[in-house]
Structure formats: C-alpha cells, structure tokens
Amino acid sequence: MKRKIAIAADHAGYEYKEIVKNYLSERFEVQDFGTFSTDSVDYPDFVHPAATSVENGENELGILICGSGNGVQITANKHQKIRCALCWMPEIATLARQHNDANMISMPARFISKELAIEIADKFLSTEFEGGRHQNRVDKIAVC
C-alpha cells in the first residue's frame, strides 16, 4: 500500500507543486488540494484542508509550496497537530523529520530550483523521526 501524502500550493508555487506531485506519484498516493492554476489565490484556502488531512490521519505527511514558503508554513502551523518546517535545502528537511518529527514541510518556489524541490521532498519523505531525546521536546510543542 502506498503512503498517502497531501500537497498544496498557491499561485506562486503551482508549477513546482505539479512537478513535485508528478515525481512523487510513482511511489506515493498524492492528494492534491490545489491550487490548480497560476491565477492569484489566497493560500489559506488550500493549506487549511491539506493540514486538516494530515492532522486527522487521512494523509501521513504534507508538502506545501508558495513563493517564500512562509505564508503556507504559518497557516499550517495554526493547526494544533501540525509541525510544518520551512525547508530550502535537503539537510533542513532531514533534520526537520529526525529532530522535530515534522509532518509537513513548506518550500519557497521563488528561491529554489525545481530539482532542489524534488530533492527536498525526497529527503523529507525518506527520513524517519529519531525519537529518543527529541521526543520530549516535540511533546512540549503543542500548547493545548
């Protein structure tokens, strides 16, 4: 059974979303929450449903893409059970999984290459949480 992954983007991240989605669809079941064009949109309209799907277990992990990566990350992290890390290099994606048990990442389409976006997604999806000393820290993240 393929692992389920959520993906969403705004208009600035649309092209990267399509590339990453197509690349990952060979190995994962990718649920695309939009947007579906380069027309200007409000990213929370796509991020909230994607984050909810990870929060409730419908999808195991999620990938978000916008121009800077910041807006989608901030929005996703409003969800109590989401730990979304802004990743602009593969090593950050690896550490986000290993040390922070990140269940979503955001990527800045205006600042990374398409090839790097794929590499970041690969590292995120192939890295496991180390637990151990990191578990106690992760347990302290949620406020409620």
Side-chain angles (χ1 to χ4, degrees):
M1 177 177 262
K2 290 184 176 181
R3 293 169 65 193
K4 294 182 175 185
I5 308 300
I7 195 166
D10 71 355
H11 50 281
Y14 168 74
E15 186 180 350
Y16 278 53
K17 176 185 68 82
E18 291 299 302
I19 290 166
V20 171
K21 176 180 72 174
N22 290 335
Y23 172 76
L24 295 177
S25 65
E26 294 176 18
R27 296 178 294 143
F28 300 94
E29 183 179 326
V30 182
Q31 185 175 3
D32 186 348
F33 287 88
T35 190
F36 299 102
S37 76
T38 57
D39 295 341
S40 182
V41 295
D42 297 332
Y43 53 82
D45 295 342
F46 307 97
V47 173
H48 284 306
T52 297
S53 80
V54 173
E55 197 170 36
N56 70 21
E58 179 183 341
N59 287 294
E60 182 180 339
L61 299 168
I63 297 172
L64 306 172
I65 309 168
C66 72
S68 70
N70 283 311
V72 293
Q73 182 214 28
I74 291 167
T75 302
N77 281 325
K78 295 297 180 184
H79 291 254
Q80 194 63 35
K81 295 179 181 177
I82 296 299
R83 291 172 306 282
C84 184
L86 174 58
C87 298
W88 61 93
M89 54 194 307
E91 295 82 1
I92 293 173
T94 298
L95 288 172
R97 285 290 299 139
Q98 287 177 337
H99 294 188
N100 309 116
D101 198 18
N103 52 12
M104 297 188 89
I105 59 168
S106 67
M107 293 189 279
R110 291 185 177 139
F111 298 93
I112 62 173
S113 69
K114 294 169 185 147
E115 295 79 16
L116 191 55
I118 288 171
E119 191 176 343
I120 291 166
D122 267 341
K123 289 291 187 181
F124 173 65
L125 297 171
S126 65
T127 304
E128 296 297 324
F129 178 49
E130 287 181 354
R133 71 185 193 279
H134 304 293
Q135 185 64 59
N136 189 50
R137 297 165 189 157
V138 170
D139 291 342
K140 293 179 178 182
I141 293 173
V143 176
C144 299

